[in-house]
Each structure stands twice: as C-alpha cells, then as structure tokens.
Amino acid sequence: MAVFDRLPAELYLLILDKLSLFSDLCNCSMASFPQSINDQMQQVSKKWRRLSNDNVLWGRMLSYRCIAIPEASTHTNEPAMGRNKLAFSVWYTQYAGFTDSYTRMHRAFNRLEKWACKACPHVWQSLAPGLVWVSGESVPVRELLSVVSDSPDMRDFIMAHHIHDGQRRRQRFLEYGLFGSYECYGEVCSLSWLSSRMLQIVDMGRFRILVFAWCHVTRNYLGIVVGCPIAHTQRLLHHVIQLQPQSYRFVDKGLFGSFFVSYVDALSSGHHDVHDNVISLMPNTGPHTSTSYTRGIKITITAMFCADETPRYRVYRYQVTLELIDSVQLGYQCVQLESRHWLVHYANHEFVHANGAGVVGEFPVLSVERPFYRYCSRVEDDPAGLE
C-alpha cells in the first residue's frame, strides 16, 4: 500500500475511473451505504478513501446508471460524503432490488427517445408519464400489484411502467402503436402499449397471459405468460409471446427486458420502416425477409406470424415493398406493375406457383415523384390457404 500512497492524485483518479462496479468504488471509500455493502468493505488508506469520494467519479457512476446528477449546492457546508455519492446512495436505497432493471430500461427508453423524436415523434408523444415509485414495498408500483408477481423476471416490466405508463388512449394516438402497425385489405392492426390500468389477464386453457400490447380493431396482442403448467415453467414462464388464441400456437420472444431492448435496437438500426409516423410491424431485414434488385427497382418481402383466429393452420402476413431506386438503370421515369408471379416455398418443402394480374386488385405505378409502393396480404402454412 505504501507504493500506492506515493502515486500522484491524477493516477489514483485514473485507476478509480476504470472501476465499472459501484461496489468496488464503495470498498475504496467506505462511506455510508446499506449495511450489506458496508459488511463487505475492507480497511483502506486515508488518501485512497479521500480520492474515491471524488464528485467527478461518482458523477460518472450516476451517468452510467442513468441517474440525474444533482446540481451543485450553494451552501458551503456540503456533506462530507459528496453530493454525487450521496445521490447514488439515496438511489440505491430507493430502488433496492431494481437497480439493474432501472439502468437497463432507462438506457432503452433513452435510445427510443433519441430515435423516435426524429423518425416518428407522434409515437413518442403518445407515451404517458410513468407511475410513481413507492419505496419500501416488494413491488413498488401500486397499480401493478393485482396482475404482476414479484419475480425478478418481471422487474424490467415493472420498471418500464415506472418510466412510461403505456401509451395514451386518445383517438389521435390509436394508429401509432409503439410495437408496430400494418394494413391488410383495409384492416389496420396497430399494437399499442397498454397502461397499467388496462392490463388484463387472459386464461388460455392452462396458461394465464398478461396482455400488455393490444390492437382495438384486430384483437391481436402481445402478452407475458404469468401462469403455466409445471412442465413449461422453465421454458415459458414470464416470457413475452405472440399468441394465436384459437389454435394455441405462439411465438416466444423471451423475457420482457430482452424483448424490449432488442426491439429498440431494431428500431434504432432501421430494421423497421416508418411512414407518416407509423412504425411498420414487419421488419425490413432479418431471417424472415428477402430483398432483391431488378433494373433499378428494389423489392423487399417480409413474412410475419400473426394471431388471426384460424382453426387449423398458422397464418402469416406478408408484406411486399416496391421502390424505384435508379431510374437511369431502369431506362424509364416511371414503370407500372401489370402482373405477378410468386414461387412460394412451404415448410413441408412443397413449392407452389401463384400468378395473377396486378397485386391486391391494384396496378401500382412507380415514378421518380412517387417511387414507393407497399401492400400486405396473408397466407396460411398450407398450400390450400394461399391467397
């Protein structure tokens, strides 16, 4: 320790700045934190302790955890602990058990805000203020007590409602579903994030589903499995699923925290198109998409499992996007689609050819002025259901 005592203060601060865990910094400073942390602390030198209380270091720790940095005090008798470290101590006590969820979900919402304010401000404006946090309870959000368990797997979901309590249900926001929208044959599906007061439990046989995103037109929804047979507990309990109610077929999207963070990452990376402030429910890249270029025209096809109620088959929506990229390569200023020919490859390795005039009864024209056209249709996972 004597060697370290002779180091310049600047080198001390550089070393301490590399500590990624606040408990390591606590061990160096030995200041007032919850007893469970104090029990783990070891005796350190006075110089080490003094430097580890540096406001700049704890300010960076606050920023890393997405905690607001307090303003400088106007009083000369500022606490010996330092205002930033004191703010961290208060935060750690208030959100005990939820600190990791706090940071994870705040980071996700910060990225969502940065993206949405540029790409689709209406979606961001539709988000409601968060629920009040009540410390000292096993589940601090009162409005969720009736439907949410205190499992660690649900803490990201609880924290999300603490930051923003779903979307406002005003008429002007209904088409701007946070989890995406699509239009098929005039039917618009928009998955809106429900507020805590609108959450509901749906019993599906031996499964209980907490519905948190819902379309008021198509009744499609996203939900979290909050009850299931023991045989499925390890694999499905507290996972987000997209369910086909009548056939009980579903898509597992993982725990809410992982699902939400991945979704925000996909939005920020441009994996979902946005038109007129509406997020496309279907991604434009990934394992269920196909993109090709023909003489300056870009064609993107996306398939997505959907929760339509059909008795026997899985139902998929597929979306086709036509975009004029290079009119010079095309050789014309505009072009019109007259007919289509699809080669559909099913999971049973059967190939089906589908031909017809135009698409969905239309004959779209792409031009330099209007280079974009998109339509959506549906298909079942059986050749007899091809439309």
Coordinates of all heavy atoms in Angstrom, one line a residue, residues 192-271:
S192 N -50.8 -1.2 -29.6 CA -50.5 -0.1 -28.7 C -50.1 -0.7 -27.3 O -50.6 -1.7 -26.9 CB -51.7 0.8 -28.5 OG -52.1 1.4 -29.7
W193 N -49.2 0.0 -26.6 CA -48.7 -0.4 -25.3 C -49.8 0.0 -24.3 O -50.1 1.2 -24.2 CB -47.4 0.2 -25.0 CG -46.8 -0.1 -23.7 CD1 -47.1 -1.2 -22.9 CD2 -45.8 0.6 -23.0 NE1 -46.3 -1.2 -21.8 CE2 -45.5 -0.1 -21.8 CE3 -45.1 1.8 -23.3 CZ2 -44.6 0.4 -20.9 CZ3 -44.2 2.2 -22.4 CH2 -43.9 1.5 -21.2
L194 N -50.3 -0.9 -23.5 CA -51.4 -0.6 -22.6 C -50.9 0.0 -21.3 O -49.8 -0.4 -20.8 CB -52.2 -1.9 -22.3 CG -52.9 -2.6 -23.5 CD1 -53.6 -3.8 -23.0 CD2 -53.9 -1.7 -24.1
S195 N -51.6 0.9 -20.7 CA -51.3 1.5 -19.4 C -51.6 0.4 -18.4 O -52.2 -0.6 -18.6 CB -52.1 2.7 -19.2 OG -53.5 2.4 -19.0
S196 N -51.0 0.7 -17.2 CA -51.2 -0.3 -16.1 C -52.6 -0.6 -15.7 O -53.0 -1.7 -15.3 CB -50.4 0.2 -14.8 OG -50.9 1.5 -14.4
R197 N -53.5 0.5 -15.9 CA -54.9 0.3 -15.5 C -55.7 -0.5 -16.6 O -56.8 -0.9 -16.3 CB -55.5 1.7 -15.4 CG -54.9 2.5 -14.2 CD -55.6 3.8 -14.0 NE -55.0 4.6 -13.0 CZ -55.1 4.4 -11.7 NH1 -55.9 3.5 -11.2 NH2 -54.5 5.2 -10.8
M198 N -55.1 -0.7 -17.7 CA -55.8 -1.5 -18.8 C -55.2 -2.9 -18.9 O -55.7 -3.7 -19.8 CB -55.7 -0.8 -20.1 CG -56.4 0.6 -20.1 SD -56.4 1.3 -21.8 CE -57.5 0.2 -22.6
L199 N -54.2 -3.3 -18.1 CA -53.6 -4.6 -18.2 C -54.7 -5.6 -17.8 O -55.5 -5.4 -16.9 CB -52.4 -4.7 -17.3 CG -51.2 -3.9 -17.6 CD1 -50.1 -4.0 -16.6 CD2 -50.6 -4.2 -19.0
Q200 N -54.7 -6.7 -18.4 CA -55.7 -7.8 -18.1 C -55.1 -9.1 -18.2 O -54.2 -9.4 -19.0 CB -56.9 -7.6 -19.0 CG -56.7 -7.7 -20.4 CD -57.9 -7.6 -21.3 OE1 -58.9 -8.3 -21.1 NE2 -57.9 -6.6 -22.2
I201 N -55.6 -10.1 -17.5 CA -55.2 -11.5 -17.5 C -56.2 -12.3 -18.4 O -57.4 -12.2 -18.2 CB -55.1 -12.1 -16.1 CG1 -54.1 -11.4 -15.2 CG2 -54.8 -13.6 -16.2 CD1 -52.7 -11.6 -15.6
V202 N -55.6 -13.0 -19.4 CA -56.5 -13.8 -20.2 C -56.1 -15.3 -20.0 O -54.9 -15.7 -20.0 CB -56.2 -13.5 -21.7 CG1 -57.0 -14.4 -22.6 CG2 -56.6 -12.0 -22.0
D203 N -57.1 -16.1 -19.6 CA -56.9 -17.5 -19.4 C -57.1 -18.3 -20.7 O -58.1 -18.2 -21.4 CB -58.0 -18.1 -18.4 CG -57.7 -17.5 -17.0 OD1 -56.6 -17.5 -16.6 OD2 -58.7 -17.2 -16.4
M204 N -56.0 -19.0 -21.1 CA -55.9 -19.7 -22.3 C -55.7 -21.2 -22.0 O -54.5 -21.6 -21.9 CB -54.9 -19.2 -23.3 CG -55.0 -17.8 -23.6 SD -56.4 -17.4 -24.6 CE -56.1 -18.3 -26.1
G205 N -56.8 -21.9 -21.6 CA -56.6 -23.3 -21.1 C -55.9 -23.3 -19.8 O -56.3 -22.6 -18.8
R206 N -54.7 -23.9 -19.7 CA -53.9 -24.0 -18.5 C -52.9 -22.9 -18.4 O -52.1 -22.8 -17.5 CB -53.2 -25.4 -18.4 CG -54.2 -26.5 -18.4 CD -53.5 -27.8 -18.4 NE -52.6 -28.1 -17.3 CZ -51.8 -29.1 -17.2 NH1 -51.7 -29.9 -18.2 NH2 -51.0 -29.2 -16.1
F207 N -52.9 -22.0 -19.4 CA -52.0 -20.9 -19.4 C -52.7 -19.6 -19.0 O -53.9 -19.4 -19.3 CB -51.4 -20.7 -20.8 CG -50.4 -21.8 -21.2 CD1 -50.9 -23.0 -21.7 CD2 -49.0 -21.6 -21.1 CE1 -50.0 -24.0 -22.0 CE2 -48.1 -22.6 -21.4 CZ -48.6 -23.8 -21.9
R208 N -52.0 -18.7 -18.3 CA -52.5 -17.4 -18.0 C -51.6 -16.3 -18.6 O -50.4 -16.3 -18.4 CB -52.6 -17.1 -16.5 CG -53.4 -18.2 -15.7 CD -53.7 -17.7 -14.3 NE -54.8 -16.7 -14.4 CZ -54.9 -15.8 -13.4 NH1 -54.1 -15.7 -12.4 NH2 -55.9 -14.9 -13.5
I209 N -52.2 -15.4 -19.4 CA -51.4 -14.5 -20.2 C -51.8 -13.1 -19.7 O -52.9 -12.7 -19.7 CB -51.7 -14.6 -21.7 CG1 -51.7 -16.1 -22.2 CG2 -50.8 -13.7 -22.5 CD1 -50.4 -16.7 -22.0
L210 N -50.7 -12.3 -19.4 CA -50.9 -10.9 -19.1 C -50.7 -10.1 -20.4 O -49.7 -10.0 -20.9 CB -49.8 -10.4 -18.1 CG -49.7 -8.9 -17.8 CD1 -51.0 -8.4 -17.2 CD2 -48.5 -8.6 -16.9
V211 N -51.8 -9.5 -20.9 CA -51.8 -8.8 -22.1 C -51.3 -7.4 -21.9 O -51.9 -6.6 -21.0 CB -53.2 -8.7 -22.7 CG1 -53.2 -7.9 -24.0 CG2 -53.7 -10.1 -23.0
F212 N -50.2 -7.0 -22.6 CA -49.7 -5.6 -22.3 C -49.7 -4.8 -23.6 O -49.4 -3.6 -23.6 CB -48.3 -5.7 -21.7 CG -47.2 -6.2 -22.7 CD1 -46.5 -5.4 -23.5 CD2 -46.9 -7.6 -22.7 CE1 -45.6 -5.9 -24.4 CE2 -46.0 -8.1 -23.5 CZ -45.3 -7.3 -24.4
A213 N -49.9 -5.4 -24.8 CA -50.0 -4.6 -26.0 C -51.1 -5.2 -26.8 O -51.3 -6.4 -27.0 CB -48.7 -4.7 -26.8
W214 N -52.0 -4.3 -27.4 CA -53.3 -4.8 -27.9 C -53.7 -3.9 -29.0 O -53.5 -2.7 -29.0 CB -54.3 -4.8 -26.8 CG -55.7 -5.3 -27.1 CD1 -56.0 -6.6 -27.4 CD2 -56.9 -4.6 -27.2 NE1 -57.4 -6.7 -27.6 CE2 -57.9 -5.4 -27.5 CE3 -57.2 -3.2 -27.0 CZ2 -59.2 -5.0 -27.7 CZ3 -58.5 -2.8 -27.2 CH2 -59.5 -3.7 -27.5
C215 N -54.4 -4.5 -30.0 CA -55.0 -3.7 -31.1 C -56.5 -3.7 -30.9 O -57.1 -4.8 -30.9 CB -54.6 -4.3 -32.5 SG -55.5 -3.5 -33.9
H216 N -57.1 -2.6 -30.9 CA -58.5 -2.5 -30.6 C -59.4 -2.9 -31.8 O -60.6 -3.1 -31.7 CB -58.9 -1.1 -30.1 CG -58.9 -0.1 -31.2 ND1 -57.7 0.4 -31.8 CD2 -59.9 0.6 -31.9 CE1 -58.0 1.3 -32.8 NE2 -59.3 1.4 -32.8
V217 N -58.8 -3.0 -33.0 CA -59.5 -3.4 -34.2 C -59.4 -4.9 -34.4 O -60.4 -5.6 -34.6 CB -59.0 -2.6 -35.4 CG1 -59.7 -3.1 -36.7 CG2 -59.2 -1.1 -35.2
T218 N -58.2 -5.5 -34.5 CA -58.0 -6.9 -34.8 C -58.0 -7.8 -33.6 O -58.0 -9.0 -33.8 CB -56.7 -7.0 -35.6 OG1 -55.6 -6.7 -34.7 CG2 -56.7 -6.1 -36.8
R219 N -57.9 -7.2 -32.4 CA -57.7 -8.0 -31.2 C -56.4 -8.8 -31.1 O -56.3 -9.7 -30.3 CB -58.9 -9.0 -31.0 CG -60.3 -8.4 -31.1 CD -60.5 -7.4 -29.9 NE -61.9 -7.1 -29.8 CZ -62.5 -6.0 -30.3 NH1 -61.7 -5.2 -31.1 NH2 -63.7 -5.7 -30.1
N220 N -55.5 -8.5 -32.0 CA -54.1 -9.1 -31.8 C -53.4 -8.5 -30.6 O -53.7 -7.3 -30.2 CB -53.3 -8.7 -33.1 CG -53.7 -9.5 -34.3 OD1 -54.6 -10.4 -34.2 ND2 -53.2 -9.2 -35.4
Y221 N -52.6 -9.3 -30.0 CA -51.9 -8.8 -28.8 C -50.6 -9.5 -28.5 O -50.3 -10.5 -29.0 CB -52.8 -8.9 -27.6 CG -53.2 -10.3 -27.2 CD1 -52.3 -11.1 -26.5 CD2 -54.5 -10.9 -27.5 CE1 -52.7 -12.4 -26.1 CE2 -54.8 -12.2 -27.1 CZ -53.9 -12.9 -26.4 OH -54.2 -14.2 -26.0
L222 N -49.8 -8.8 -27.7 CA -48.6 -9.4 -27.1 C -48.9 -9.6 -25.6 O -49.6 -8.7 -25.0 CB -47.4 -8.4 -27.3 CG -46.9 -8.2 -28.7 CD1 -45.8 -7.1 -28.7 CD2 -46.3 -9.5 -29.2
G223 N -48.4 -10.6 -25.1 CA -48.6 -10.9 -23.7 C -47.4 -11.6 -23.0 O -46.5 -12.0 -23.6
I224 N -47.5 -11.6 -21.7 CA -46.5 -12.3 -20.8 C -47.1 -13.5 -20.1 O -48.2 -13.3 -19.5 CB -45.9 -11.3 -19.8 CG1 -45.2 -10.2 -20.5 CG2 -44.9 -12.1 -18.9 CD1 -44.6 -9.1 -19.6
V225 N -46.5 -14.6 -20.2 CA -47.0 -15.8 -19.5 C -46.8 -15.7 -18.0 O -45.6 -15.7 -17.6 CB -46.3 -17.1 -20.1 CG1 -46.8 -18.3 -19.3 CG2 -46.5 -17.2 -21.6
V226 N -47.8 -15.5 -17.3 CA -47.7 -15.4 -15.8 C -48.2 -16.6 -15.1 O -48.1 -16.7 -13.9 CB -48.5 -14.2 -15.3 CG1 -47.9 -12.9 -15.8 CG2 -50.0 -14.3 -15.7
G227 N -48.7 -17.6 -15.8 CA -49.1 -18.9 -15.2 C -49.1 -20.0 -16.3 O -49.6 -19.8 -17.4
C228 N -48.5 -21.1 -16.0 CA -48.4 -22.2 -17.0 C -48.2 -23.5 -16.2 O -47.8 -23.5 -15.1 CB -47.4 -22.0 -18.0 SG -45.7 -21.9 -17.4
P229 N -48.4 -24.7 -16.9 CA -48.1 -26.0 -16.3 C -46.7 -26.1 -15.9 O -45.8 -25.4 -16.5 CB -48.5 -27.0 -17.4 CG -49.5 -26.3 -18.2 CD -49.1 -24.8 -18.2
I230 N -46.4 -26.9 -14.9 CA -45.0 -27.0 -14.4 C -44.0 -27.4 -15.5 O -42.9 -27.0 -15.5 CB -45.0 -28.0 -13.2 CG1 -45.8 -27.5 -12.1 CG2 -43.5 -28.3 -12.8 CD1 -45.9 -28.5 -10.9
A231 N -44.5 -28.3 -16.4 CA -43.6 -28.8 -17.5 C -43.1 -27.6 -18.4 O -42.1 -27.8 -19.0 CB -44.4 -29.8 -18.3
H232 N -43.8 -26.5 -18.4 CA -43.4 -25.4 -19.3 C -42.8 -24.2 -18.5 O -42.5 -23.2 -19.1 CB -44.7 -24.9 -20.1 CG -45.3 -25.9 -20.9 ND1 -44.8 -26.2 -22.2 CD2 -46.4 -26.7 -20.8 CE1 -45.5 -27.2 -22.7 NE2 -46.5 -27.5 -21.9
T233 N -42.7 -24.4 -17.2 CA -42.3 -23.2 -16.4 C -40.9 -22.7 -16.8 O -40.7 -21.5 -17.0 CB -42.3 -23.6 -14.9 OG1 -43.6 -23.9 -14.5 CG2 -41.8 -22.5 -14.0
Q234 N -40.0 -23.6 -16.8 CA -38.6 -23.2 -17.1 C -38.4 -22.5 -18.5 O -37.7 -21.6 -18.7 CB -37.6 -24.4 -17.0 CG -36.2 -24.0 -17.1 CD -35.2 -25.2 -16.9 OE1 -35.7 -26.3 -16.6 NE2 -33.9 -25.0 -17.0
R235 N -39.2 -23.0 -19.4 CA -39.1 -22.5 -20.8 C -40.0 -21.3 -21.1 O -39.6 -20.5 -22.0 CB -39.5 -23.7 -21.8 CG -39.2 -23.3 -23.3 CD -39.4 -24.6 -24.1 NE -40.7 -25.2 -24.0 CZ -41.7 -24.9 -24.9 NH1 -41.5 -24.1 -25.9 NH2 -42.9 -25.5 -24.8
L236 N -41.1 -21.1 -20.5 CA -42.1 -20.1 -20.9 C -42.5 -19.1 -19.8 O -42.9 -18.0 -20.2 CB -43.3 -20.8 -21.5 CG -43.3 -21.3 -22.9 CD1 -44.6 -21.9 -23.3 CD2 -42.9 -20.2 -23.9
L237 N -42.4 -19.4 -18.6 CA -42.9 -18.6 -17.5 C -42.2 -17.2 -17.6 O -41.0 -17.1 -17.6 CB -42.7 -19.2 -16.2 CG -43.4 -18.4 -15.0 CD1 -44.9 -18.4 -15.2 CD2 -43.0 -19.1 -13.7
H238 N -43.0 -16.1 -17.6 CA -42.6 -14.7 -17.7 C -42.0 -14.3 -19.0 O -41.4 -13.3 -19.2 CB -41.7 -14.4 -16.6 CG -42.2 -14.6 -15.2 ND1 -41.5 -15.2 -14.2 CD2 -43.5 -14.4 -14.7 CE1 -42.3 -15.3 -13.1 NE2 -43.5 -14.8 -13.4
H239 N -42.2 -15.2 -20.1 CA -41.7 -14.8 -21.4 C -42.8 -14.0 -22.1 O -44.0 -14.3 -22.0 CB -41.4 -16.1 -22.2 CG -40.1 -16.6 -21.8 ND1 -39.2 -17.2 -22.8 CD2 -39.4 -16.7 -20.7 CE1 -38.1 -17.6 -22.2 NE2 -38.2 -17.3 -20.9
V240 N -42.4 -13.1 -23.0 CA -43.3 -12.4 -23.9 C -43.6 -13.4 -25.1 O -42.7 -14.0 -25.6 CB -42.7 -11.2 -24.5 CG1 -43.6 -10.5 -25.5 CG2 -42.4 -10.2 -23.3
I241 N -44.9 -13.5 -25.4 CA -45.3 -14.3 -26.5 C -46.3 -13.6 -27.4 O -47.0 -12.7 -26.9 CB -46.0 -15.7 -26.1 CG1 -47.3 -15.4 -25.3 CG2 -45.0 -16.5 -25.3 CD1 -48.1 -16.7 -25.0
Q242 N -46.3 -14.0 -28.7 CA -47.4 -13.5 -29.6 C -48.2 -14.8 -29.8 O -47.7 -15.8 -30.4 CB -46.8 -13.0 -30.9 CG -47.9 -12.5 -31.8 CD -47.3 -11.9 -33.1 OE1 -46.1 -11.8 -33.2 NE2 -48.1 -11.5 -34.0
L243 N -49.5 -14.8 -29.4 CA -50.3 -16.0 -29.4 C -51.4 -16.0 -30.4 O -52.0 -14.9 -30.7 CB -50.9 -16.1 -28.0 CG -51.7 -17.4 -27.7 CD1 -50.9 -18.6 -27.7 CD2 -52.5 -17.2 -26.4
Q244 N -51.6 -17.2 -31.0 CA -52.8 -17.4 -31.8 C -53.8 -18.0 -31.0 O -53.8 -19.2 -30.6 CB -52.4 -18.3 -33.0 CG -53.5 -18.4 -34.1 CD -53.1 -19.2 -35.3 OE1 -52.4 -20.2 -35.1 NE2 -53.5 -18.8 -36.4
P245 N -54.8 -17.3 -30.5 CA -55.7 -17.7 -29.4 C -56.4 -19.0 -29.6 O -56.5 -19.9 -28.7 CB -56.7 -16.5 -29.3 CG -56.0 -15.4 -29.9 CD -55.2 -15.9 -31.0
Q246 N -57.0 -19.2 -30.8 CA -57.8 -20.4 -31.0 C -57.0 -21.7 -31.1 O -57.4 -22.8 -30.6 CB -58.7 -20.3 -32.2 CG -59.9 -21.2 -32.3 CD -60.9 -20.8 -33.3 OE1 -60.6 -20.1 -34.3 NE2 -62.1 -21.3 -33.2
S247 N -55.8 -21.6 -31.8 CA -55.0 -22.8 -32.0 C -54.0 -23.0 -31.0 O -53.3 -24.0 -30.9 CB -54.4 -22.8 -33.4 OG -53.4 -21.7 -33.4
Y248 N -53.8 -22.0 -30.1 CA -52.8 -22.0 -29.0 C -51.3 -22.0 -29.6 O -50.4 -22.4 -28.9 CB -53.0 -23.2 -28.1 CG -54.2 -23.1 -27.3 CD1 -55.4 -23.7 -27.7 CD2 -54.3 -22.5 -26.1 CE1 -56.6 -23.6 -27.0 CE2 -55.4 -22.4 -25.3 CZ -56.6 -23.0 -25.8 OH -57.7 -22.9 -25.1
R249 N -51.2 -21.7 -30.8 CA -49.8 -21.6 -31.4 C -49.3 -20.2 -31.1 O -50.0 -19.2 -31.1 CB -49.8 -21.8 -32.9 CG -50.1 -23.3 -33.2 CD -50.4 -23.5 -34.7 NE -50.5 -24.9 -35.0 CZ -50.9 -25.4 -36.2 NH1 -51.3 -24.5 -37.1 NH2 -51.0 -26.7 -36.4
F250 N -48.0 -20.1 -30.8 CA -47.4 -18.8 -30.4 C -46.0 -18.7 -30.8 O -45.3 -19.6 -31.3 CB -47.5 -18.8 -28.8 CG -46.6 -19.8 -28.1 CD1 -45.3 -19.6 -27.9 CD2 -47.2 -21.0 -27.8 CE1 -44.5 -20.6 -27.3 CE2 -46.5 -22.0 -27.2 CZ -45.1 -21.8 -26.9
V251 N -45.5 -17.5 -30.7 CA -44.1 -17.1 -31.0 C -43.5 -16.6 -29.6 O -44.0 -15.7 -29.0 CB -43.9 -16.1 -32.0 CG1 -42.4 -15.7 -32.2 CG2 -44.5 -16.5 -33.4
D252 N -42.4 -17.3 -29.2 CA -41.7 -16.9 -27.9 C -40.7 -15.8 -28.2 O -39.8 -16.0 -29.0 CB -41.0 -18.2 -27.3 CG -40.3 -17.9 -26.0 OD1 -40.5 -16.8 -25.5 OD2 -39.7 -18.8 -25.5
K253 N -40.9 -14.7 -27.5 CA -40.0 -13.6 -27.7 C -39.0 -13.3 -26.6 O -38.4 -12.3 -26.5 CB -40.8 -12.3 -28.0 CG -41.6 -12.4 -29.3 CD -42.4 -11.2 -29.6 CE -43.2 -11.3 -30.9 NZ -42.3 -11.3 -32.1
G254 N -39.0 -14.2 -25.6 CA -38.1 -14.1 -24.5 C -38.6 -13.2 -23.3 O -39.8 -12.8 -23.4
L255 N -37.8 -13.0 -22.3 CA -38.2 -12.2 -21.2 C -38.4 -10.7 -21.7 O -37.8 -10.3 -22.6 CB -37.1 -12.2 -20.1 CG -36.9 -13.6 -19.4 CD1 -35.7 -13.5 -18.5 CD2 -38.2 -14.0 -18.7
F256 N -39.2 -10.0 -20.9 CA -39.6 -8.7 -21.4 C -38.4 -7.7 -21.6 O -38.3 -7.0 -22.6 CB -40.6 -8.0 -20.4 CG -41.0 -6.6 -20.8 CD1 -42.1 -6.5 -21.7 CD2 -40.4 -5.5 -20.3 CE1 -42.5 -5.2 -22.1 CE2 -40.7 -4.2 -20.7 CZ -41.8 -4.1 -21.6
G257 N -37.5 -7.7 -20.6 CA -36.3 -6.9 -20.8 C -35.5 -7.1 -22.0 O -35.2 -6.2 -22.8
S258 N -35.2 -8.4 -22.3 CA -34.5 -8.7 -23.5 C -35.3 -8.4 -24.8 O -34.8 -7.9 -25.8 CB -34.1 -10.2 -23.5 OG -33.3 -10.5 -22.4
F259 N -36.6 -8.7 -24.7 CA -37.5 -8.4 -25.9 C -37.5 -6.9 -26.2 O -37.4 -6.5 -27.3 CB -38.9 -8.9 -25.6 CG -40.0 -8.2 -26.3 CD1 -40.2 -8.5 -27.7 CD2 -40.8 -7.3 -25.7 CE1 -41.2 -7.8 -28.4 CE2 -41.8 -6.6 -26.4 CZ -42.0 -6.9 -27.8
F260 N -37.7 -6.1 -25.1 CA -37.8 -4.6 -25.3 C -36.5 -4.0 -25.8 O -36.5 -3.2 -26.7 CB -38.3 -4.0 -24.0 CG -38.7 -2.5 -24.2 CD1 -39.9 -2.2 -24.7 CD2 -37.8 -1.5 -23.9 CE1 -40.3 -0.9 -24.9 CE2 -38.2 -0.2 -24.1 CZ -39.4 0.2 -24.6
V261 N -35.4 -4.4 -25.2 CA -34.1 -3.9 -25.6 C -33.8 -4.2 -27.0 O -33.3 -3.4 -27.8 CB -33.0 -4.4 -24.7 CG1 -31.6 -4.0 -25.2 CG2 -33.2 -3.8 -23.3
S262 N -34.1 -5.5 -27.4 CA -33.8 -5.9 -28.8 C -34.7 -5.2 -29.8 O -34.3 -4.8 -30.9 CB -34.1 -7.4 -28.9 OG -33.2 -8.1 -28.1
Y263 N -36.0 -4.9 -29.4 CA -36.9 -4.2 -30.2 C -36.4 -2.7 -30.5 O -36.4 -2.2 -31.6 CB -38.3 -4.2 -29.6 CG -39.3 -3.4 -30.5 CD1 -39.7 -3.9 -31.7 CD2 -39.9 -2.3 -30.0 CE1 -40.7 -3.2 -32.5 CE2 -40.9 -1.6 -30.7 CZ -41.2 -2.1 -32.0 OH -42.2 -1.4 -32.7
V264 N -36.0 -2.1 -29.4 CA -35.5 -0.7 -29.5 C -34.2 -0.7 -30.4 O -34.0 0.2 -31.2 CB -35.2 -0.1 -28.1 CG1 -34.5 1.3 -28.3 CG2 -36.5 0.1 -27.4
D265 N -33.4 -1.7 -30.2 CA -32.2 -1.8 -31.1 C -32.5 -1.9 -32.5 O -31.9 -1.3 -33.4 CB -31.3 -2.9 -30.6 CG -30.6 -2.7 -29.3 OD1 -30.5 -1.5 -28.9 OD2 -30.1 -3.7 -28.7
A266 N -33.6 -2.7 -32.8 CA -34.0 -2.9 -34.2 C -34.6 -1.6 -34.8 O -34.3 -1.3 -35.9 CB -35.1 -4.0 -34.2
L267 N -35.3 -0.9 -34.0 CA -35.8 0.4 -34.4 C -34.7 1.4 -34.7 O -34.6 2.0 -35.8 CB -36.8 1.0 -33.4 CG -38.1 0.3 -33.1 CD1 -38.8 1.0 -32.0 CD2 -39.0 0.3 -34.4
S268 N -33.7 1.5 -33.8 CA -32.6 2.4 -34.0 C -31.7 2.0 -35.2 O -31.1 2.9 -35.8 CB -31.8 2.4 -32.7 OG -32.6 2.8 -31.6
S269 N -31.7 0.8 -35.5 CA -30.8 0.3 -36.6 C -31.6 0.4 -37.9 O -31.0 0.0 -39.0 CB -30.4 -1.2 -36.3 OG -29.7 -1.3 -35.1
G270 N -32.8 0.8 -37.9 CA -33.5 0.9 -39.2 C -34.1 -0.3 -39.7 O -34.4 -0.5 -40.9
H271 N -34.3 -1.3 -38.8 CA -34.9 -2.6 -39.2 C -36.4 -2.6 -39.4 O -37.0 -3.6 -39.8 CB -34.5 -3.7 -38.2 CG -33.1 -4.0 -38.3 ND1 -32.5 -5.0 -37.4 CD2 -32.0 -3.5 -39.0 CE1 -31.2 -5.0 -37.7 NE2 -30.9 -4.2 -38.6

